[in-house]
Amino acid sequence: MENRAEDVLDRDEPLDDDGGVARAVDPVVAFEIDAAPADPDDDWIAGLHGDGLVRDDAIRRLHELMIRASRYKLARMSEARRLGRARAEEIVQSSADEAVMAILRRLDSFEGRSRFTTWAYKFAILHTATAVRRELWTHAEVDLDAIPHLASPIGDPLAHAEGRALAQALRRGIDECLTPHQRRILLAIVVEGIPIDVVADRLSTTRNTVYKTLHDARKRLREQLQAQGFLPPAAAEEVNR
């Protein structure tokens, strides 16, 4: 139960409407995908900012890289095996397309803190992960108004007394400190494990809006638990950094 309480407060999943650039690409992924020789960053930027055939060629090469990154991500998602080969390839192609468009929109935000290809790969990786999650939840019954409450703790009463007290305070906080909308979002994502993008689709809103609601709900809960002595002041201050 202690782990569940920590999940409610700590398991963030930041997503960005322009391609998820808030999440850094796994260094191992970057190393393995980026192992082949790559063009200098200046060549990429110049080509994508260029005109005519020069730009067309740069976009073609970028799309090939996005397909490579998307297939890499797909191969490492165990749940993607349920998609079937044909649907998986459709997701690879569409994710690569979306990644290229997102990169072109945000090209001027590239600051050179990493290789251009490393920066670009994360767009394909996140678009692929999002597409897979959305596909697997497409036909699932998701009733956001019927999400169960946070489960009661299980185990030895003496061994888990402190955890039970925290869990009870957390449940009270969810009931008393959160708005109905915040409670609905937090329980759906953290307790039921429904992906943020699926919740956003069902509510006809954006992932960033859902994430902001989740962030605000966690902040309220942290402040409540800190006021009751379950968390040290530093834990609450960390939220506001």
Side-chain angles (χ1 to χ4, degrees), residues 63-182:
H63 190 264
E64 290 175 353
L65 287 176
M66 295 303 96
I67 288 178
R68 183 179 174 189
S70 180
R71 285 181 177 150
Y72 182 99
K73 178 62 177 177
L74 200 70
R76 282 152 183 79
M77 296 181 70
S78 58
E79 61 268 38
R81 298 170 188 167
R82 294 154 49 192
L83 296 172
R85 183 173 299 178
R87 182 59 185 138
E89 184 59 25
E90 290 176 356
I91 286 177
V92 165
Q93 296 295 331
S94 63
S95 296
D97 292 345
E98 292 174 6
V100 168
M101 295 303 297
I103 290 168
L104 293 177
R105 287 196 304 270
R106 298 184 64 100
L107 191 58
D108 290 338
S109 70
F110 174 65
E111 298 178 349
R113 297 180 182 178
S114 62
R115 291 174 61 180
F116 174 80
T117 47
T118 302
W119 177 79
Y121 285 140
K122 60 188 172 184
F123 287 87
I125 288 170
L126 187 65
H127 274 292
T128 302
T130 299
V132 170
R133 290 196 302 267
R134 182 179 288 115
E135 177 71 16
L136 294 177
W137 281 85
T138 295
H139 304 295
E141 291 292 334
V142 179
D143 185 354
L144 296 180
D145 293 317
I147 299 297
H149 205 293
L150 195 64
S152 297
I154 300 174
D156 180 1
L158 294 178
H160 297 283
E162 184 176 347
R164 288 204 318 277
L166 173 59
Q168 290 167 358
L170 186 58
R171 287 197 297 273
R172 285 196 303 271
I174 290 173
D175 287 337
E176 299 171 6
C177 298
L178 303 185
T179 67
H181 181 63
Q182 288 175 331

